[in-house]
Amino acid sequence: MSLKLPPVVVVFIFGAAMFLLATFLPVGFFNFFGRTVLVKILLVVLVLILSASTYKFFKAKTTVNPKDLDKTSALVTSGVYAYTRNPMYLAMLLLLIAWGLYLGNAFNTLLAAGFVSYINAYQIKPEEEILTAKFGKEFTMYTKKVRRWF
């Protein structure tokens, strides 16, 4: 498997880059009415998505460790997984968006897009190759019904 860094580390790196960008880039600051409320809403939504997706994995008795996909014992397709194939990565993206809004720098959206690009290339695609090999037609049909992100 061609995974390089654990996704949590990738989120931390992109979050740190967002902080540095917001701190040292003299342009791009924005503020709007309800920004703090929106950050809080995003945090609640990401906690709900992360909790629901993790619960489904534990209920199916399969691994949540993206670096240990050989131990995957079940294909989870219900609950939040009926709407997104990668709710845990979606929750990480929502965390970065909330962080970017909190920091108030418009250029942080570019870093959030970079996170999506990185995770797609170095995490999701290798995972999907393994899941296709392991679950075959069942996983292929699932990918045709459910979008990768949202």
Side-chain angles (χ1 to χ4, degrees):
M1 192 157 147
S2 62
L3 301 179
K4 304 295 182 215
L5 296 171
V8 173
V9 173
V10 174
V11 169
F12 179 78
I13 291 169
F14 275 88
M18 291 171 116
F19 175 77
L20 292 172
L21 183 73
T23 302
F24 296 109
L25 188 67
V27 296
F29 180 77
F30 69 91
N31 197 6
F32 58 88
F33 177 76
R35 181 170 65 123
T36 305
V37 173
L38 182 56
V39 168
K40 290 175 184 176
I41 290 170
L42 287 173
L43 292 174
V44 168
V45 169
L46 82 85
V47 167
L48 292 173
I49 290 172
L50 191 58
S51 299
S53 60
T54 305
Y55 170 75
K56 288 303 251 180
F57 267 37
F58 283 121
K59 187 175 177 185
K61 294 182 173 86
T62 191
T63 183
V64 295
N65 184 352
K67 304 240 350 143
D68 202 10
L69 289 176
D70 294 333
K71 293 184 180 176
T72 303
S73 60
L75 182 61
V76 180
T77 60
S78 62
V80 70
Y81 290 93
Y83 304 100
T84 173
R85 295 194 317 253
N86 299 288
M88 293 179 203
Y89 301 139
L90 177 59
M92 292 175 187
L93 174 61
L94 292 176
L95 177 62
L96 288 175
I97 292 170
W99 178 236
L101 285 170
Y102 174 79
L103 293 171
N105 190 300
F107 292 102
N108 278 330
T109 57
L110 298 174
L111 289 172
F115 169 79
V116 171
S117 179
Y118 180 90
I119 289 294
N120 274 334
Y122 297 104
Q123 189 69 40
I124 293 174
K125 287 183 183 178
E127 282 181 9
E128 288 180 345
E129 290 171 8
I130 290 171
L131 294 173
T132 299
K134 189 160 194 138
F135 297 106
K137 186 177 179 181
E138 183 182 5
F139 182 72
T140 302
M141 294 302 293
Y142 174 63
T143 62
K144 291 180 181 183
K145 289 191 310 190
V146 179
R147 296 174 62 102
R148 186 176 277 165
W149 285 91
F150 46 81

